Amino acid sequence: MTIELHRGGDRMKTRISWLDSKHSFSFGEHYDPDNTHHGLLLVNNEDVVLPGEGFDTHPHRDMEIVTWVLGGSLVHQDSLGHSGVIYPGLAQRMSAGTGILHSEKNDSWRLDGKLPEHDEPVHFVQMWVVPDEPGVDPGYQQLEIDDELARGDLVTVASGLPRYRDRTAIAINSSHAAMHVARMPADSPGVTLPDAPYLHVFVARGEIDMEGLGTLSQGDAVRLTRSGGQRLRPHGDAEVLVWEMHARLGGQ
């Protein structure tokens, strides 16, 4: 069993006029050969995009991409004709497969050219995991799960693991990976991590106490190998994203 703590302040950063992005793993021009992935998770980017701005149309291929919005809202459009507004409590994934083009814009930027109804940044985490096989058909799925999150439990948001087939919100093309979210109020008793060969715990909002490790703040991440069963308890309202993985890049 190994447990690695990665503090939020130590992440690689991309900052330009409209974007504040923090990278848990190597991304773009930020490359560290010792920090490329954990299990099947290659990207865990925390982004803040200013009103009226966003990522113009760009390509992806052979990747399962899950986007989780923490504040504000994000407009998605892709080359298959899918479009939607992603907001807190909405599960969303895009399967890039054989190839797809898409754009992501702060919802203050209106598709119809009308004046925005609000003027605030959008804050979200985007995560990429490797699919089982390359060359699948591209796809898109989203689902509202705000009611399930309100219970404060660990909710399975995106999964390809057979054990979660009947209780995952959205499906991904990876039979060895699942993403869970716990939105815990201040009085929550906390949640327990699942047992798995690889776990990635990311504090998306607030502050928590992790059994055996201590206090974790927003932006902190823990990478666990051959572990599980630890209790997470919030210090005030908190939100945690947990990837459970039963394989790693390059094999079991």
Side-chain angles (χ1 to χ4, degrees):
M1 182 180 72
T2 61
I3 299 176
E4 298 178 14
L5 171 60
H6 295 259
R7 293 294 186 188
D10 296 333
R11 290 174 292 177
M12 296 169 280
K13 302 173 181 67
T14 297
R15 286 178 176 154
I16 54 179
S17 60
W18 56 271
L19 171 68
D20 184 356
S21 184
K22 301 179 180 70
H23 318 296
S24 295
F25 302 99
S26 295
F27 188 80
E29 65 182 24
H30 303 287
Y31 181 70
D32 177 354
D34 297 322
N35 184 28
T36 58
H37 67 285
H38 180 65
L40 297 170
L41 183 64
L42 278 78
V43 169
N44 188 89
N45 286 350
E46 181 183 1
D47 293 345
V48 176
V49 174
L50 293 181
E53 303 288 353
F55 300 94
D56 291 327
T57 302
H58 57 281
H60 289 287
R61 187 180 184 90
D62 290 329
M63 200 64 63
E64 298 295 296
I65 301 173
V66 177
T67 302
W68 187 252
V69 174
L70 298 165
S73 49
L74 190 70
V75 173
H76 166 95
Q77 284 188 308
D78 65 45
S79 54
L80 296 180
H82 303 118
S83 63
V85 178
I86 316 165
Y87 49 84
L90 185 83
Q92 187 254 29
R93 67 100 175 127
M94 184 180 73
S95 298
T98 54
I100 195 169
L101 299 170
H102 83 136
S103 64
E104 297 160 301
K105 301 278 188 174
N106 187 315
D107 188 33
S108 295
W109 176 84
R110 289 297 179 183
L111 299 177
D112 55 11
K114 294 180 181 178
L115 292 174
E117 296 177 1
H118 57 85
D119 188 21
E120 62 178 315
V122 58
H123 180 198
F124 62 97
V125 182
Q126 188 167 94
M127 299 150 283
W128 301 3
V129 293
V130 179
D132 289 338
E133 300 289 341
V136 302
D137 291 335
Y140 179 87
Q141 187 181 7
Q142 66 179 49
L143 184 68
E144 166 73 60
I145 58 169
D146 210 47
D147 289 344
E148 290 86 345
L149 291 165
R151 297 196 299 265
D153 300 326
L154 203 60
V155 177
T156 306
V157 171
S159 176
L161 281 167
R163 72 179 69 179
Y164 299 121
R165 183 175 292 119
D166 296 331
R167 59 182 174 126
T168 187
I170 53 177
I172 57 175
N173 294 305
S174 177
S175 58
H176 299 290
M179 176 206 160
H180 314 282
V181 174
R183 184 185 287 170
M184 297 176 285
D187 59 354
S188 168
V191 298
T192 300
L193 294 176
D195 293 320
Y198 304 94
L199 290 170
H200 186 269
V201 179
F202 179 73
V203 183
R205 289 191 307 112
E207 191 173 80
I208 67 167
D209 188 69
M210 181 171 173
E211 183 180 356
L213 194 59
T215 300
L216 305 176
S217 301
Q218 181 172 321
D220 289 349
V222 183
R223 304 175 193 179
L224 302 97
T225 304
R226 296 183 298 278
S227 188
Q230 292 90 344
R231 194 76 177 166
L232 308 180
R233 293 181 173 85
H235 297 178
D237 295 345
E239 191 163 340
V240 179
L241 315 184
V242 178
W243 276 96
E244 172 189 349
M245 297 165 285
H246 292 260
R248 61 180 174 84
L249 193 63
Q252 295 283 352

